[in-house]
Structure formats: structure tokens, C-alpha cells
Amino acid sequence: MSRVIDIADRISEANGRSMMRLVEDAYPVCRSITGDGLRQTLALVGAQVDLAIHEVPSGTAVFDWTVPDEWNIRDAYIADTDGRRIVDFRQSNLHVVNYSDPVNAQMTFDELAPHLHTLPDHPGWIPYRTSYYARSWGFCLAHEQLEAMRAAGHDRTYDVVIDASLKPGHLSYGEVFLPGRSDDEILLTTHVCHPSMCNDNLSGVTVLAQLATLLRDTDRHHAIRCLFIPGTIGAISWLALNRDKLHKIRHGLVLAGLGDTGPLTYKRTRDGTATIDRAVEAVLAHTPAFDDKAPRVVDFSPYGYDERQFNSPGIALPVGRLSRSEYGSYPEYHTSADNLDFIRPPALVDSLRALARVIATLDDNARWRNTEPCCEPQLGKRGLYDAAGAGADWEQVRLALLWVLNLGDGKNDLLQVAERSGLPFEAIARAASRLADAGLLERTGT
Ligand code: ZN
């Protein structure tokens, strides 16, 4: 079986094409935090990787929240008196405020106007709006469409229909569990509740689905738990209903916004000193710039995606977040312009590769003890000083061997060796493995 680092090294453009196919298949589906669009999307992920689907009944109390009624929508439109659809859900599911109450009425433009949402700064784009926890209804449309309706007259009458239902049902989520050699777990989550938008959030869905597929047949210390959950309420529900599992989670990442051409961005855990923080920072320090943009690290704040639930004081799991451009920092965010052209396969590949290297780093990180700690052991007689086998990287290999031996006191982990030496973690891990094979290192802990 392959090790995770071998999988990371083999990630290529083919993975980019495969990730885009899932995005294209899932893009037209009208997702929400509950309902059949969410189930349909989970089924698309489930066609790729073994996914357990869980259904949490409406009304279930989850900490301070309650799982809401299930929302399903069949059709929606605003039509003029000739029956011509001016705003049509079939053209874009963003046209309806997500979780809208059903409506079937005739109203004038002036009566309808308070329910219409546009983006005057981007008059051709449709905004994305939700109304999960306050009962209301509305339509989102291009500002130029609104202006045309206004020009047609304030007393003009329209047929307004939202054929939706909101009744007791379930909140669905998907879970992939890949056992490891130990009980220690790495938790990876992505939200799966946004309708037709690609960076937020199909990029996270497809990167996580692809990673789960690649990791399936790897030999790992850690078990990997992947959650495809509706944002906020899905994370809260999972945490509330799985408290017995939380003690096994050693490291975690929320994945969101991984397909745009912005720089890879890591958001630290609340404390900022967890192993996941150090592992991601070690990987990003040796990740080449993408599109001339070097990776960035930002501090925790109690906002953003589901990292705010995992890092809440009563949960306090070491969960960071991997993204590219930050939510809300690009004009296409939460609009119809976050479409299939907005995300780029090479960006998805760059994100996937970094993520796989983070998992490899977490998995290979360990504490080691030098078995010949009095002066340097003689590397030459053990074949470890052989320049011929090391090629152009000989200097790095030699340095890595010396750093691992010197800091191999049983207390430093390999991430500390990487940090102090400035060498890539992979070089340090490889050196540790060669030294262990030569009997010069003993593993003392993870
Ligand atoms: Zn969002």
C-alpha cells in the first residue's frame, strides 16, 4: 500500500479534470441546508467514494439550536400578465431566496419590490441570499432586470410563485471514514449547502471527495474522517450527536473556497499552536507561489466557516481552515459570477496537493531518539554518507540526517526538526526513515 506522501507526489492535471467533472455535475443542483438537492449532491459524492448518509430529524435539539424543517423547491417565477417569466428559477436557482416560504399571489411592482434583491454595483449578477432562521420569501435578480421592471411601471401586476415546501423532514449529511493503524483521527470537513456556486462551495466538496478517493488505499497511522455537512447547523448537529467521538480527533481542517486563483491561505486554530498549525505552516513554507501569489497564514477569528464551531470554547478541537481567497474578499463571492469559469482546475490541483502534503506531514510526524547520541555516529560505515545515491540533493540529505540525529532526543518531533533546520518536512521524514532503517533511531511517540 502507498504512503500518503507518495499519493501527494503523484497528484496531477488528471485530478484537476476529475475534480471539475464533479463540480460540473453538481453545479445545476439547488442545494440548501436540508432537502433533496443536498441529498442529490451527496449521491454524486457517493458515486465516487464510499459515503455513509446520515439523516437528522427536524426538531432535534443540537446544543442551543434546533434542526429546522426540511425545505424543498420545485419551481418559482415572476411572470407578467402575458405569462412570460421575467425571473425564472429554472434559469438559475439563485433567483429564489434560499429557504423562502411558498408564495402564490398577484402583486404590483411596488408590492413586490421589498422582496427583490439585487447588486447595483454588478448589475448583471444575481446575488445569493438565504432566509434559514427567519420566515420570509424573496427573489434575487440582476439589477438591470429590476430596472427594466421598474421602467415598465409601478402599478404593473405580476404573478409571483414560489412552489416550495417547508415541513418536518431531515437534515442530511455525508461521512467518509477511512480507518488508520491507530485510533487517532484527522477530521476534514466541507460545507455542502450552497446552490449553484462553484468556489463557495463546490470547490471544497470536490477537493475533499478527491482526497478521500486518493487516501482510500493508503497505509496510515491516522484514521481520516471526512464530513460533507450543511454549513453551521450541519457542523453543530454533527458535534452535538458525536460527542463520544471527539476525543479521538487529533487534528482537523475545514476546507472552503479552494478553486479560485488567489493564494493558498491557512487560518490558524484558536490557540494557533496546535500540531495542525505547525504542519500546515511547514507545508506552505515550501509550497511554490501560485500565479505569483505566495501562500499566506492568517490568525483565528470567530467568523468565517465552520472553524468557529470546532474552535468554540466547549468543543476546542484543533481545527484550522484551508482556503484560497478569503470568503467575502472577492466580488464574485455569493453571486452568480462564482460560476464554472471562476474556478480553475490548476488551482484545485494546487489546493489538493497542499492538502495531501499536510495529511502526509501529520501522518509522518513522530518523536525519535538517537541510539548513538554520544558524538556523531559514523554515517559512512552504514552507507548513509554515500553521495552517489543522493544525486543533486546530497547536501540537503546530509543536513537532514545531521539535524534529525542532533535533535533526536525523544522530545522533539520531526516538525520541530523541520522548523529549526528550515528544510522541507519531507526531507526530514525521509532522513528519519533512513536512520531508523540503519538502527540509529528509535521511535518514542507520535
Ligand atoms: Zn458561503
Side-chain angles (χ1 to χ4, degrees):
M1 277 213 279
S2 305
R3 295 168 61 235
V4 180
I5 189 62
D6 303 324
I7 297 291
D9 287 345
R10 287 205 291 271
I11 288 169
S12 72
E13 278 174 32
N15 298 101
R17 287 192 293 277
S18 160
M19 287 190 279
M20 275 310 284
R21 274 196 295 277
L22 176 59
V23 172
E24 285 158 7
D25 290 346
Y27 179 64
V29 177
C30 183
R31 278 164 293 278
S32 185
I33 54 172
T34 64
D36 290 333
L38 175 56
R39 289 190 188 93
Q40 234 177 304
T41 306
L42 294 175
L44 289 171
V45 174
Q48 188 174 322
V49 62
D50 198 10
L51 187 77
I53 309 285
H54 300 269
E55 300 274 358
V56 184
S58 303
T60 305
V62 286
F63 297 122
D64 198 36
W65 296 61
T66 305
V67 174
D69 280 348
E70 183 176 322
W71 187 70
N72 282 293
I73 181 160
R74 288 157 291 278
D75 194 9
Y77 58 87
I78 300 170
D80 64 17
T81 40
D82 298 330
R84 208 167 47 91
R85 291 183 177 212
I86 294 167
V87 176
D88 188 355
F89 172 78
R90 292 174 190 162
Q91 299 289 322
S92 168
N93 55 44
L94 295 178
H95 275 314
V96 174
V97 172
N98 206 283
Y99 252 74
S100 276
D101 277 337
V103 177
N104 191 341
Q106 277 206 331
M107 50 184 82
T108 64
F109 175 79
D110 277 349
E111 288 166 330
L112 178 56
H115 296 276
L116 302 180
H117 308 276
T118 67
L119 294 168
D121 289 345
H122 296 282
W125 298 355
I126 307 165
Y128 163 55
R129 295 275 188 279
T130 64
S131 179
Y132 299 141
Y133 304 107
R135 299 287 18 102
S136 70
W137 61 270
F139 284 87
C140 301
L141 59 160
H143 193 68
E144 54 204 25
Q145 269 180 304
L146 176 73
E147 291 299 288
M149 288 170 75
R150 200 191 307 278
H154 290 256
D155 298 328
R156 189 87 176 250
T157 303
Y158 295 94
D159 285 326
V160 180
V161 172
I162 298 178
D163 180 11
S165 58
L166 192 57
K167 49 190 184 196
H170 294 84
L171 173 148
S172 319
Y173 69 87
E175 185 166 24
V176 178
F177 183 74
L178 306 170
R181 288 191 304 274
S182 78
D183 280 347
D184 295 347
E185 289 186 14
I186 300 173
L187 178 72
L188 302 170
T189 81
T190 189
H191 61 296
V192 67
C193 52
H194 287 32
S196 291
M197 284 172 293
C198 288
N199 200 40
D200 185 14
N201 65 188
L202 290 174
S203 67
V205 173
T206 201
V207 167
L208 184 54
Q210 186 81 184
L211 182 82
T213 308
L214 294 175
L215 291 183
R216 201 165 32 192
D217 298 319
T218 53
D219 175 45
R220 277 168 288 99
H221 168 82
H222 291 91
I224 312 283
R225 190 180 292 280
C226 307
L227 299 180
F228 297 83
I229 45 179
T232 308
I233 188 68
I236 293 170
S237 299
W238 188 83
L239 285 165
L241 301 172
N242 291 278
R243 295 187 84 173
D244 57 323
K245 297 197 178 86
L246 303 188
H247 68 281
K248 293 181 182 170
I249 296 170
R250 295 280 175 272
H251 326 281
L253 280 177
V254 170
L255 306 171
L258 291 168
D260 67 278
T261 57
L264 262 176
T265 301
Y266 175 64
K267 178 178 170 181
R268 291 184 174 116
T269 65
R270 192 168 63 126
D271 292 344
T273 55
T275 305
I276 183 68
D277 297 308
R278 297 166 57 224
V280 181
E281 290 181 44
V283 167
L284 295 189
H286 295 277
T287 297
F290 181 88
D291 211 12
D292 289 330
K293 286 162 256 180
R296 298 179 305 178
V297 178
V298 298
D299 276 326
F300 179 78
S301 62
Y303 197 56
Y305 293 103
D306 284 330
E307 64 274 14
R308 55 211 265 200
Q309 313 308 337
F310 297 109
N311 284 276
S312 59
I315 303 292
L317 286 172
V319 176
R321 191 191 76 213
L322 194 64
S323 301
R324 304 196 70 89
S325 293
E326 287 223 74
Y327 67 91
S329 69
Y330 49 97
E332 295 85 354
Y333 173 77
H334 279 190
T335 77
S336 57
D338 180 2
N339 57 22
L340 290 165
D341 295 326
F342 183 64
I343 61 170
R344 293 278 184 271
L348 291 170
V349 169
D350 189 60
S351 303
L352 175 68
R353 192 179 283 131
L355 175 61
R357 288 180 65 211
V358 169
I359 306 299
T361 300
L362 292 169
D363 216 55
D364 287 340
N365 190 36
R367 289 183 172 76
W368 295 88
R369 197 176 61 82
N370 178 345
T371 60
E372 289 287 346
C374 299
C375 299
E376 283 180 12
Q378 199 185 342
L379 298 179
K381 73 178 183 192
R382 295 177 172 91
L384 290 167
Y385 232 57
D386 181 6
D393 291 338
W394 182 70
E395 185 63 22
Q396 192 184 76
V397 171
R398 195 172 64 100
L399 269 176
L401 292 169
L402 296 177
W403 272 108
V404 172
L405 285 169
N406 190 279
L407 296 181
D409 58 1
K411 298 189 200 95
N412 294 303
D413 62 11
L414 292 185
L415 271 168
Q416 275 161 302
V417 183
E419 285 155 6
R420 280 193 66 180
S421 67
L423 295 169
F425 180 86
E426 280 92 347
I428 297 297
R430 226 173 0 245
S433 154
R434 292 183 70 193
L435 290 166
D437 288 347
L440 288 174
L441 276 188
E442 273 175 4
R443 194 169 170 139
T444 60
T446 53

